[in-house]
Amino acid sequence: MLDVKVIREKTEWVCARLAARNAGDEVNIQEIIALDDARRKNLSEVEVLRANRNKVSKEIGVLMGKKQFDEANLRKQETTEIGQKISDLDKKLQEIESQREAMLLKTPNTPHDTVPYGKTSEDNPVVKTYGEKKIFSFKPLNHVELCEKLNLIDFQRATKISGRGFILYTNLGARLERGLINFLLDTHTREHGYTEIQPPLMVTQECMYGVGQFPKFRDQAYTIQEGLDAETLGKQYLLPTAEAALVNLHRDEILKEEELPKRYCAYTPCFRAEAGAAGLGTRGLIRVHQFDKVELVKIVEPEKGYEELEKLLLNAEKILQLLGLHYRVISLCTGDLGFTSAKTYDIEVWAPGQDQYLEVSSCSNCEDYQARRMGLRFKKADGTLCFPHLLNGSGTALARLYVALLETYQQPDGSILIPEVLRPYVGTDQIKI
RNA sequence: GGAAGGGUGGCUGAGUGGACUAAGGCGCCUGACUCGAAAUCAGGAGAUGUCGCAAGGCAUCCGGGAGUUCGAAUCUCCCCUCUUCCGCCA
């Protein structure tokens, strides 16, 4: 969440940045400031009363020691009155604080000054491209046709056993998916210096708040416990992304400066309810409820946040380069930025069978927005505490990568050529009927 | 799932209603001694919030929450978590 101090001191800048990202009507900076003013006023009143009570209580202790019980009893009445005032004011204060907290949790991050201004995804500029669209001597098939022909995915049975939006890889199709996962993990851990993590697939509500999924995207999350009320603490949610687990690894901790940067990498399935996306029903792998993803997360000193974002992007790009796929990188404009992000690059890979670019990675610097939500700090050499920048990026999403791979490497005879780097992982150089 | 016992500062560990302003030890920082270090001696040191130009003051913090009390690390209740034992289990 945003720092209230910054909101108070740079109010105009914050409002302008939030307006640029089309923050909704639910965000009201003036109201946050008003609540904060009310909080301060009430707080100092309560504190004066408390100081008073502490003082008198101490005096009572002394009187009791001297066995001056009458005098002590007199003073007790005094503190009882003060106590009543305190609990009344305290109640009011708690109400104000929870409103203030709720407003802050609903307020998205402020875009970095280098983020291009724009309203929608139409306004996202392309910042670089790699390779070019492959020319085919025949009409390339799309991945659904290829998967069915080559028996890589069984769409009918996936729907039968799990419903719409699930994938059932079979035979070489399954091995290709597993091979890709291993290739991605190996590349990031061995070549790029990330520490491999295998997190639980379910996390607590606190983690969902910390990462910024809640409260805004609560309806996107799957939970599998029934019969408990929604506010029950300890209730668990299926990961919408491994980011939700990785970013929370050090929640409520104070890291040492020399421990930074931390780089984590994890493969997990990702579960998304995609509420409200019904009807977007693209057949195949483009939009599903469960997909595999390898996620990268970094915890870094604030001064290095943006330098590390560029490196993170390069780490993700490297995957597509090694696989010989054509892609472009776009910089999300202010209006298209994710809730927690201050700056985001998307990587879009070319899928010839779809005749379109598919988003396979999103690399963001959330600055200290998430760290603040989850109470993650580090201690600087001079002893002061500081919120680190949290970065996350897909390295990459698997399902769409799979699409691009099949569609790019299809041959005139309907077979698929496996790129060199993947052959040890798949155990074959081509997939044919 | 059942039973019992724990959770105190960076770590260890004492504290069972009023000097806890959380002892002592270890580690840490500063200074003295030293050419320098070790050892020794002296001193210092938390977080959050808030008020203040500042010096500094005040409040809160002993796993979390609620309660009893004039006053809670300490008493009561609920929850989380760890350890051990039992049951179940890939």
Side-chain angles (χ1 to χ4, degrees):
Chain A
M1 64 183 120
L2 299 179
D3 186 352
V4 180
K5 275 194 198 126
V6 173
I7 291 179
R8 297 184 71 102
E9 285 162 18
K10 297 169 70 181
T11 311
E12 272 181 42
W13 180 83
V14 169
C15 288
R17 292 317 288 167
L18 290 178
R21 63 140 61 227
N22 303 331
D25 298 338
E26 74 270 20
V27 176
N28 187 334
I29 291 300
Q30 294 309 329
E31 199 175 331
I32 291 176
I33 293 175
L35 284 166
D36 196 53
D37 284 341
R39 173 177 156 276
R40 288 181 182 207
K41 184 171 157 285
N42 274 266
L43 193 61
S44 52
E45 279 175 38
V46 170
E47 285 183 353
V48 168
L49 289 171
R50 281 219 180 94
N52 212 332
R53 183 178 66 181
N54 288 347
K55 204 174 116 210
V56 179
S57 274
K58 223 163 232 180
E59 287 166 14
I60 291 171
V62 173
L63 291 170
M64 302 283 272
K66 292 184 191 160
K67 303 211 189 288
Q68 298 177 6
F69 299 115
D70 290 346
E71 179 65 17
N73 280 326
L74 219 70
R75 316 241 34 198
K76 276 189 193 181
Q77 284 177 17
E78 206 177 308
T79 48
T80 306
E81 277 171 36
I82 298 175
Q84 189 52 244
K85 277 189 202 161
I86 290 175
S87 70
D88 289 349
L89 264 174
D90 219 22
K91 214 171 170 184
K92 202 167 133 198
L93 184 63
Q94 275 181 29
E95 227 165 83
I96 291 168
E97 282 186 338
S98 71
Q99 277 179 43
R100 171 179 172 273
E101 180 83 0
M103 293 290 291
L104 283 169
L105 285 172
K106 280 196 294 189
T107 306
N109 203 353
T110 45
H112 190 248
D113 288 329
T114 59
V115 172
Y117 179 82
K119 294 275 183 211
T120 68
S121 55
E122 306 283 304
D123 303 320
N124 297 335
V126 174
V127 294
K128 53 179 148 174
T129 57
Y130 175 87
E132 38 194 63
K133 292 178 187 173
K134 191 169 172 179
I135 309 295
F136 287 87
S137 57
F138 56 97
K139 184 176 186 307
L141 300 177
N142 72 42
H143 70 284
V144 176
E145 298 166 308
L146 290 166
C147 285
E148 284 177 337
K149 258 189 169 167
L150 297 166
N151 288 320
L152 300 179
I153 292 177
D154 190 333
F155 292 103
Q156 280 77 26
R157 291 196 175 91
T159 305
K160 181 171 71 178
I161 65 172
S162 300
R164 197 210 77 82
F166 292 89
I167 312 172
L168 189 148
Y169 296 96
T170 58
N171 196 23
L172 271 181
R175 201 204 286 171
L176 175 58
E177 179 76 357
R178 178 161 58 90
L180 275 169
I181 292 166
N182 286 333
F183 164 66
L184 299 183
L185 284 174
D186 284 350
T187 305
H188 292 308
T189 55
R190 292 178 189 163
E191 311 293 328
H192 299 154
Y194 289 80
T195 304
E196 184 169 346
I197 301 288
Q198 199 174 121
L201 301 183
M202 289 190 270
V203 294
T204 62
Q205 160 167 268
E206 285 77 6
C207 289
M208 295 295 263
Y209 272 102
V211 77
Q213 285 285 327
F214 286 6
K216 196 170 177 191
F217 303 110
R218 191 163 212 134
D219 59 352
Q220 298 291 333
Y222 282 109
T223 182
I224 58 171
Q225 288 184 7
E226 290 183 351
L228 292 175
D229 73 280
E231 299 310 317
T232 304
L233 290 182
K235 188 176 182 178
Q236 287 124 353
Y237 297 85
L238 286 169
L239 294 181
T241 158
E243 178 198 353
L246 295 181
V247 146
N248 279 288
L249 245 37
H250 299 286
R251 72 168 13 255
D252 289 322
E253 288 185 27
I254 296 173
L255 301 174
K256 295 182 187 131
E257 188 173 33
E258 59 267 28
E259 288 180 88
L260 303 181
K262 285 202 175 280
R263 301 186 186 89
Y264 292 122
C265 168
Y267 151 70
T268 68
C270 299
F271 302 91
R272 297 191 182 174
E274 301 286 2
L280 278 173
T282 327
R283 203 176 163 221
L285 303 181
I286 310 291
R287 196 177 186 98
V288 286
H289 289 310
Q290 180 189 330
F291 62 94
D292 292 323
K293 181 157 65 69
V294 169
E295 182 75 2
L296 306 172
V297 160
K298 285 190 192 180
I299 305 173
V300 307
E301 289 127 306
E303 306 75 53
K304 295 186 182 157
Y306 283 94
E307 177 189 327
E308 291 287 339
L309 176 62
E310 297 299 322
K311 286 192 202 162
L312 179 67
L313 176 64
L314 290 176
N315 293 155
E317 282 183 58
K318 185 73 182 175
I319 295 299
L320 301 179
Q321 291 172 10
L322 286 170
L323 291 173
L325 295 171
H326 163 54
Y327 66 85
R328 64 183 189 188
V329 176
I330 60 177
S331 181
L332 295 195
C333 71
T334 52
D336 201 28
L337 218 50
F339 188 75
T340 58
S341 176
K343 181 168 187 172
T344 298
Y345 292 113
D346 273 5
I347 304 178
E348 298 183 331
V349 70
W350 177 247
Q354 312 286 311
D355 197 31
Q356 63 169 332
Y357 287 98
L358 301 175
E359 180 191 334
V360 286
S361 178
S362 196
C363 298
S364 304
N365 184 3
C366 298
E367 298 185 351
D368 61 10
Y369 184 88
Q370 291 174 321
R372 206 174 281 283
R373 281 171 93 104
M374 68 179 69
L376 165 59
R377 289 168 299 173
F378 73 97
K379 198 172 213 161
K380 295 211 265 194
D382 65 9
T384 58
L385 293 173
C386 183
F387 290 103
H389 278 195
L390 286 175
L391 289 75
N392 69 84
S394 348
T396 64
L398 271 290
R400 292 173 184 173
L401 183 66
Y402 202 94
V403 170
L405 203 70
L406 293 183
E407 294 183 359
T408 299
Y409 284 99
Q410 59 182 301
Q411 304 300 307
D413 63 358
S415 69
I416 308 290
L417 193 69
I418 302 294
E420 198 87 42
V421 288
L422 269 188
R423 288 180 193 171
Y425 291 97
V426 185
T428 178
D429 55 4
Q430 63 173 326
I431 297 174
K432 43 188 172 181
I433 303 168

